[in-house]
C-alpha cells in the first residue's frame, strides 16, 4: 500500500472578488483536516472569473467554490469556457486507466449549478424568491448511502444562499452517466413549486451540493447581521424567522454537524484513494 503523506489541493475561487465567508471556511476546513490527519497539506487558489485561472491536473483534489450572480448569464464568456474545459480535462484524466489515483472534485453552490449545466442533467433557472438561511435538506435513497453524507441526520441542516436553482432532473441522462440525485430542498406543501435538487453524485469521482457545506456559525452569523441579508430574510420569512436562524447557529445538530462532516468526509475519500493507489509498473 502506498501511503501518501502529502496532499495537494486546488481551490477554484468563483467569487469574482466579492467579499465572502466561503473561501475562509474552505481554507479552515482544509487546514483543520490536515492537522487532524497529521498530513502535509498544501493548497493553491485559482481566481476563475477575474483572472481566468484554472488548475492543471497535478493536484490530488479539487474544490470549486460558490459565487455571486447568475449561472446562466456567464454562457459564452471566456472564464466559463475555460472552466468547462477544466471539467473536461478532469473527466479525461479519470478515463485513462493508467491514471491512478483518480481526481476527485467537489462543486459548491454556483459551481454545482454550472456543473449541472455542463453535464446537462437538469434545468437551471431563477428562483421566484431568494433562498437565504439555514434550512433542512432531505436525503434521497442514494444520499443515505453516500459516504460524503456519512454522520448526517435526515433531514440535515445546511446554509442555503441562492437566487437560482436546479430542478427537473433528466432521468435518462442521469442513468446513462451513472449519476445519482442525493438530496432535495425542504418540503414546502404551501407553495406549488418543484423542490430543488440539493446534491448530485455526478460520477464516482465528482460530487456537488447546492448548499454550502463549508459554512460555519461565525460566517453565517456575520452574514445574518449584514443589513441587506437581514432584510432579505425578514422580507421573505419575517423577523421571528431571522431571530430563530441566529439562535440555530449555536445548535451543534444544525450547520455545525454539516460543516464538520461533508467536506472532511470528501477529503477522507481522497486520502483513502491515495493510500490504496497502486503505481503502475
Amino acid at each position: 500500500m502506498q501511503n501518501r503523506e502529502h496532499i495537494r489541493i486546488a481551490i477554484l475561487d468563483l467569487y469574482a472578488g466579492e467579499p465572502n465567508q466561503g473561501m475562509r471556511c474552505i481554507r479552515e476546513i482544509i487546514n483543520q483536516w490536515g492537522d487532524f490527519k497529521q498530513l502535509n497539506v498544501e493548497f493553491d487558489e485559482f481566481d476563475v472569473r477575474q483572472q481566468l485561472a484554472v488548475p492543471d491536473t497535478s493536484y490530488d483534489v479539487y474544490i470549486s467554490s460558490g459565487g455571486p450572480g447568475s449561472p446562466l448569464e456567464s454562457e459564452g464568456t471566456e472564464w466559463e469556457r475555460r472552466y468547462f474545459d477544466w471539467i473536461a480535462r478532469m473527466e479525461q484524466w479519470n478515463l485513462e486507466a493508467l491514471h491512478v489515483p483518480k481526481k476527485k472534485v467537489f462543486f459548491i453552490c454556483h459551481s454545482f449549478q454550472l456543473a449541472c449545466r455542463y453535464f446537462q442533467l437538469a434545468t437551471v433557472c431563477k428562483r421566484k424568491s431568494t433562498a437565504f438561511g439555514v434550512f433542512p435538506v432531505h436525503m434521497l435513497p442514494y444520499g443515505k448511502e453516500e459516504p460524503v453524507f456519512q454522520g448526517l441526520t435526515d433531514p440535515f441542516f445546511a446554509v442555503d444562499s441562492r437566487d437560482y436553482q436546479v430542478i427537473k432532473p433528466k432521468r435518462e441522462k442521469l442513468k446513462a452517466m451513472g449519476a445519482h440525485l442525493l438530496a432535495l430542498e425542504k418540503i414546502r406543501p404551501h407553495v406549488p413549486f418543484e423542490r430543488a435538487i440539493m446534491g448530485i453524485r455526478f460520477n464516482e469521482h465528482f460530487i456537488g451540493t447546492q448548499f454550502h457545506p463549508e459554512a460555519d456559525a461565525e460566517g453565517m452569523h456575520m452574514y445574518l447581521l449584514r443589513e441587506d441579508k437581514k432584510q432579505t430574510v425578514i422580507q421573505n420569512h419575517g423577523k421571528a424567522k431571522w431571530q430563530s436562524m441566529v439562535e440555530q447557529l449555536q445548535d451543534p445538530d444544525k450547520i455545525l454537524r454539516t460543516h464538520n462532516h461533508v467536506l472532511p468526509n470528501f477529503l477522507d475519500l481522497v486520502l483513502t484513494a491515495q493510500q490504496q493507489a497502486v503505481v503502475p509498473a
Side-chain angles (χ1 to χ4, degrees):
M1 179 182 291
Q2 182 190 27
N3 186 9
R4 288 284 302 274
E5 296 299 323
H6 185 252
I7 300 289
R8 297 181 69 235
I9 301 174
I11 306 174
L12 289 85
D13 177 0
L14 269 68
Y15 279 102
E18 288 202 8
N20 67 89
Q21 294 295 319
M23 291 297 291
R24 174 189 64 80
C25 290
I26 292 170
R27 296 182 198 112
E28 289 183 0
I29 287 174
I30 290 172
N31 286 326
Q32 291 167 3
W33 176 80
D35 290 344
F36 181 73
K37 297 292 183 178
Q38 297 184 318
L39 298 169
N40 178 18
V41 176
E42 70 173 284
F43 59 85
D44 294 317
E45 300 176 16
F46 297 84
D47 187 338
V48 178
R49 296 169 71 170
Q50 291 189 123
Q51 299 180 9
L52 309 181
V54 292
D56 58 24
T57 59
S58 67
Y59 293 86
D60 301 308
V61 60
Y62 302 77
I63 299 174
S64 189
S65 80
S70 167
L72 302 173
E73 293 176 3
S74 56
E75 184 174 359
T77 61
E78 179 62 16
W79 77 258
E80 183 180 279
R81 184 189 68 77
R82 295 195 185 195
Y83 185 75
F84 283 176
D85 284 349
W86 163 75
I87 296 178
R89 288 200 303 276
M90 294 296 101
E91 284 189 288
Q92 187 58 44
W93 172 279
N94 288 341
L95 288 173
E96 297 288 338
L98 293 179
H99 288 164
V100 178
K102 305 303 182 182
K103 306 298 185 180
K104 297 192 182 296
V105 183
F106 199 111
F107 300 91
I108 298 172
C109 195
H110 196 104
S111 295
F112 172 75
Q113 294 165 349
L114 292 174
C116 289
R117 278 187 48 223
Y118 172 84
F119 289 112
Q120 299 179 351
L121 290 178
T123 297
V124 181
C125 62
K126 189 169 179 60
R127 283 177 57 88
K128 184 174 176 62
S129 62
T130 299
F132 178 79
V134 178
F135 300 111
V137 178
H138 296 263
M139 292 188 199
L140 294 170
Y142 279 105
K144 295 177 182 179
E145 300 174 4
E146 171 56 53
V148 169
F149 286 178
Q150 185 175 358
L152 300 181
T153 58
D154 182 27
F156 60 92
F157 289 82
V159 170
D160 202 0
S161 178
R162 59 194 166 90
D163 292 308
Y164 292 81
Q165 61 184 351
V166 178
I167 58 173
K168 299 179 181 177
K170 299 177 182 178
R171 304 286 180 179
E172 292 303 315
K173 187 70 180 289
L174 286 160
K175 183 177 180 180
M177 66 178 283
H180 300 294
L181 304 182
L182 302 178
L184 297 178
E185 69 179 338
K186 64 179 181 177
I187 299 171
R188 299 182 297 165
H190 58 289
V191 295
F193 301 125
E194 182 173 353
R195 291 165 68 195
I197 301 165
M198 298 302 283
I200 295 178
R201 166 63 70 177
F202 295 102
N203 55 45
E204 184 180 355
H205 310 293
F206 294 1
I207 188 172
T209 62
Q210 178 65 85
F211 60 88
H212 284 268
E214 80 281 14
D216 62 5
E218 175 188 350
M220 191 62 183
H221 190 258
M222 291 175 64
Y223 260 61
L224 285 171
L225 293 181
R226 274 177 46 178
E227 192 60 30
D228 60 333
K229 297 298 183 182
K230 177 179 179 179
Q231 291 307 317
T232 294
V233 175
I234 291 175
Q235 288 170 13
N236 290 333
H237 307 286
K239 189 170 184 178
K241 176 64 175 179
W242 176 83
Q243 292 173 327
S244 72
M245 286 168 56
V246 172
E247 294 169 0
Q248 285 179 14
L249 296 179
Q250 306 309 316
D251 188 336
D253 288 326
K254 294 292 193 303
I255 68 168
L256 182 60
R257 179 184 292 271
T258 304
H259 171 274
N260 289 345
H261 284 82
V262 176
L263 282 180
N265 285 347
F266 172 70
L267 293 171
D268 284 346
L269 294 180
V270 175
L271 181 60
T272 298
Q274 295 283 17
Q275 294 173 339
Q276 294 178 345
V278 177
V279 178

